[in-house]
Amino acid sequence: MEYVVSELEGILLKNHDPFCYFMLMAFEASGLIRFAILLMLWPIIRVLELCGKGDVGLKVTIFVATVGVRISEIEAVARAVLPKFYFDDINMEAWKIFSSFDKRFVVTKTPRIMVERFVKEHLRADDVFGTELVVSKSGFATGFIKNEFDSISDRIAALFGDEQPSLGLCRPKSDYSFLSLCKEQLQPPFLSSKNQDHHQIIIKPLPVIFHDGRLVIRPTPFSSLLILLWIPFGIILAIIRISIGLIFPFWIVPYLTPLFGGKIIVKGKPPPPASITNSGVLFVCTHRTLMDPVVLSTVLQRKIPAVTYSISRFTEILSPIPTIGLTRIRDIDAQRIKRQLEKGDLAVCPEGTTCREPFLLRFSALFAELTDRIVPVAMNYRVGFFHATTARGWKAMDPIFFFMNPRPVYEVTFLNQLPMEATCSSGKSPHDVANYVQRILAATLGFECTNFTRKDKYRILAGNDGTVSQNSSTNYGIKKLLSTFLHVASTRKKMIMSLF
């Protein structure tokens, strides 16, 4: 059996500097203030590295990013946020060598809690050797590490004993003493001729399908500064954009959107509005953000009611279209959808929750049982700074974060209405119809179909089944403080809309 021991930063990951991952930890686990403080200390940390005191700089980084943070929150960020950014930074040449060995071990000076999930689940490593955070009795990180960085090599030596690892993957001038234990060492660049002996069966890293967090781009020092400088302007811009949707009628919104940096790309031919002789059309949309049905209504220039499972009161007030809440009780939900289709068109997202990556979750078959007038709509979006979805945070902020982006772009592709032979009227089962719609939408967007569900997403990202409780939230206090504002805003909206 052959063993490989590899450094993480600079080998399995292209980037040798883990600073951006601590910036992510600071932003997602604590917020903007800690994020800004860590960024202000970056020049000092950089000077320490240039003076040969890189370990001291790393200790400062770890301290600022984690001190006073509950360890469960650090674990949550490591589970839901960091794997996506780590995955995008994988060095595939190093991965080809690493994955060809029977047993794989990873070494890093980053706290183990931050990298362990990614390394074991996505890089398929057997174990990871990193630093250990000191945790107080009350469950908060102290910002310190238990042992010096040299103890990492000692633990590796103790693991292997008299046996030598077959290969050590390391950076040039690496200060890890464990490399002397390895029979062979390789350093980048990893040329194919050198790797041929180690190349057997290459397995792919496990892709990241679900991830959380608000930041889209990797928070390097430069991009972090851009984000901090942009946020005040982004908040003002979001208020203006949301106000346009609340105040102006739908027919004028597409003309105003480009003036404030937004863009909507429409492909395909949408069906005409429901008439007296025809019942409403059921628009079956892919679910990318809470803005999907709003953008659909904007494109169609008429209000299309949307079926929702759980949205906050704040989001409901901001929504310029009617929303129909479902109970997750099949018979009751079916009756509600049928009644709305008798009145007119309706939008539904059968995935039940959003997915950021190019994957479609399993479609609920309920929509296929209720009508044969099904129009698939492929929705997709692009943003620059902030994600407009969250599993762990306050969902009421989703539309605000979407509109805070400098140039949010939405793509809406209308497919042809399903022919009768592709619906349940021809004898097909609802599951067959739902799977068919999922496949054609995935093909249109270039996505992959999966069998993952809403519960799978929330179990991975939030550690629960996605059930929303109105009275249990980390932001419940904020909601209470905003309750009066929401009531006034709702009244104000009705007054403004009555003028049009």
Side-chain angles (χ1 to χ4, degrees):
M1 184 173 291
E2 295 189 328
Y3 301 84
V4 61
V5 183
S6 174
E7 289 187 70
L8 181 62
E9 294 85 6
I11 298 296
L12 294 174
L13 301 181
K14 299 174 187 176
N15 193 356
H16 71 279
D17 186 2
F19 183 79
C20 60
Y21 303 112
F22 289 100
M23 290 293 289
L24 281 166
M25 180 61 67
F27 186 89
E28 302 295 349
S30 296
L32 202 58
I33 295 177
R34 190 187 295 263
F35 183 78
I37 292 174
L38 185 56
L39 179 61
M40 288 189 293
L41 290 174
W42 177 78
I44 298 175
I45 295 169
R46 183 60 179 156
V47 169
L48 288 172
E49 292 176 357
L50 295 176
C51 294
K53 301 293 184 180
D55 287 352
V56 177
L58 181 56
K59 287 180 180 180
V60 173
T61 305
I62 295 173
F63 180 84
V64 177
T66 63
V67 61
V69 181
R70 190 176 291 277
I71 199 68
S72 60
E73 188 64 23
I74 296 176
E75 291 174 344
V77 174
R79 177 182 66 244
V81 180
L82 296 183
K84 164 63 178 174
F85 291 90
Y86 283 133
F87 186 87
D88 290 343
D89 198 30
I90 292 178
N91 182 345
M92 290 306 298
E93 291 302 316
W95 163 255
K96 290 177 183 178
I97 306 172
F98 183 78
S99 62
S100 65
F101 283 79
D102 301 312
K103 290 287 185 178
R104 299 174 286 273
F105 301 90
V106 173
V107 178
T108 177
K109 293 180 180 179
T110 300
R112 177 190 52 80
I113 190 174
M114 290 177 57
V115 303
E116 186 171 32
R117 185 180 182 91
F118 167 74
V119 167
K120 288 187 176 181
E121 292 194 7
H122 299 278
L123 294 184
R124 307 174 192 269
D126 294 279
D127 205 353
V128 55
F129 297 91
T131 54
E132 300 291 337
L133 291 175
V134 177
V135 183
S136 68
K137 293 181 180 179
S138 55
F140 291 89
T142 64
F144 299 104
I145 56 176
K146 291 183 178 179
N147 299 300
E148 292 298 321
F149 296 120
D150 293 339
S151 65
I152 297 174
S153 297
D154 296 336
R155 279 182 279 154
I156 297 174
L159 173 68
F160 287 100
D162 297 332
E163 190 174 3
Q164 285 186 294
S166 305
L167 179 66
L169 300 178
C170 60
R171 287 175 288 171
K173 300 180 181 180
S174 176
D175 57 354
Y176 283 111
S177 59
F178 79 86
L179 294 171
S180 59
L181 303 175
C182 301
K183 297 177 182 177
E184 184 182 356
Q185 297 179 16
L186 278 182
Q187 299 176 352
F190 300 113
L191 303 178
S192 57
S193 59
K194 292 184 179 180
N195 301 344
Q196 192 170 3
D197 293 338
H198 303 289
H199 178 78
Q200 298 172 358
I201 299 175
I202 298 178
I203 54 178
K204 294 182 179 180
L206 184 68
V208 176
I209 297 178
F210 300 119
H211 64 94
D212 205 20
R214 290 297 188 183
L215 295 183
V216 174
I217 58 177
R218 187 183 306 276
T220 62
F222 178 72
S223 62
S224 298
L225 181 61
L226 284 180
I227 291 171
L228 285 173
L229 294 176
W230 173 257
I231 285 177
F233 298 99
I235 293 174
I236 296 173
L237 190 58
I239 293 173
I240 295 173
R241 288 166 170 170
I242 292 173
S243 299
I244 289 175
L246 292 176
I247 296 174
F248 292 95
F250 274 115
W251 65 267
I252 200 173
V253 172
Y255 300 99
L256 296 177
T257 297
L259 299 179
F260 296 94
K263 185 178 182 180
I264 301 178
I265 301 172
V266 182
K267 301 176 183 179
K269 185 178 180 181
S275 62
I276 299 177
T277 57
N278 292 324
S279 61
V281 168
L282 184 62
F283 293 97
V284 179
C285 308
T286 53
H287 203 4
R288 308 304 285 172
T289 76
L290 288 176
M291 299 299 299
D292 296 335
V294 177
V295 174
L296 177 66
S297 296
T298 302
V299 170
L300 296 175
Q301 296 191 2
R302 63 182 188 271
K303 293 184 178 182
I304 307 296
V307 170
T308 63
Y309 284 103
S310 57
I311 61 173
S312 68
R313 176 65 176 159
F314 185 65
T315 303
E316 187 177 355
I317 289 174
L318 291 181
S319 175
I321 63 172
T323 57
I324 301 171
L326 298 184
T327 63
R328 299 190 185 275
I329 302 175
R330 193 175 186 84
D331 293 338
I332 296 177
D333 293 343
Q335 290 300 319
R336 290 185 179 182
I337 294 175
K338 283 182 179 179
R339 282 197 299 268
Q340 180 57 44
L341 287 173
E342 292 172 357
K343 299 176 183 178
D345 298 335
L346 181 64
V348 63
C349 300
E351 290 173 276
T353 189
T354 57
C355 182
R356 297 175 179 177
E357 294 302 296
F359 298 91
L360 292 188
L361 309 186
R362 190 177 71 194
F363 277 27
S364 169
L366 179 61
F367 74 89
E369 303 175 13
L370 306 178
T371 182
D372 294 330
R373 299 198 67 197
I374 299 172
V375 176
V377 183
M379 311 285 292
N380 202 7
Y381 77 108
R382 298 195 300 271
V383 289
F385 282 168
F386 308 107
H387 283 295
T389 61
T390 182
R392 299 169 53 251
W394 189 16
K395 296 179 183 298
M397 295 296 293
D398 287 358
I400 296 176
F401 272 104
F402 176 81
F403 286 116
M404 281 177 61
N405 286 285
R407 290 189 58 82
V409 178
Y410 240 101
E411 298 179 1
V412 184
T413 304
F414 291 94
L415 279 63
N416 294 330
Q417 181 175 320
L418 291 189
M420 292 300 294
E421 57 269 20
T423 66
C424 291
S425 295
S426 64
K428 291 185 178 294
S429 71
H431 293 286
D432 289 339
V433 175
N435 291 339
Y436 172 71
V437 174
Q438 183 197 34
R439 288 196 301 271
I440 60 176
L441 286 173
T444 301
L445 294 171
F447 289 3
E448 294 183 31
C449 295
T450 73
N451 282 320
F452 289 112
T453 64
R454 172 189 174 89
K455 288 185 178 181
D456 295 322
K457 170 185 171 179
Y458 279 88
R459 283 169 183 162
I460 292 173
L461 299 184
N464 56 56
D465 62 359
T467 302
V468 178
S469 173
Q470 296 297 328
N471 295 320
S472 60
S473 171
T474 56
N475 301 285
Y476 180 62
I478 299 176
K479 295 179 183 179
K480 290 283 288 183
L481 291 174
L482 289 176
S483 59
T484 303
F485 166 76
L486 300 183
H487 176 72
V488 173
S490 179
T491 305
R492 179 71 173 172
K493 174 186 173 182
K494 293 178 182 177
M495 293 174 61
I496 293 174
M497 295 302 293
S498 65
L499 297 177
F500 294 90

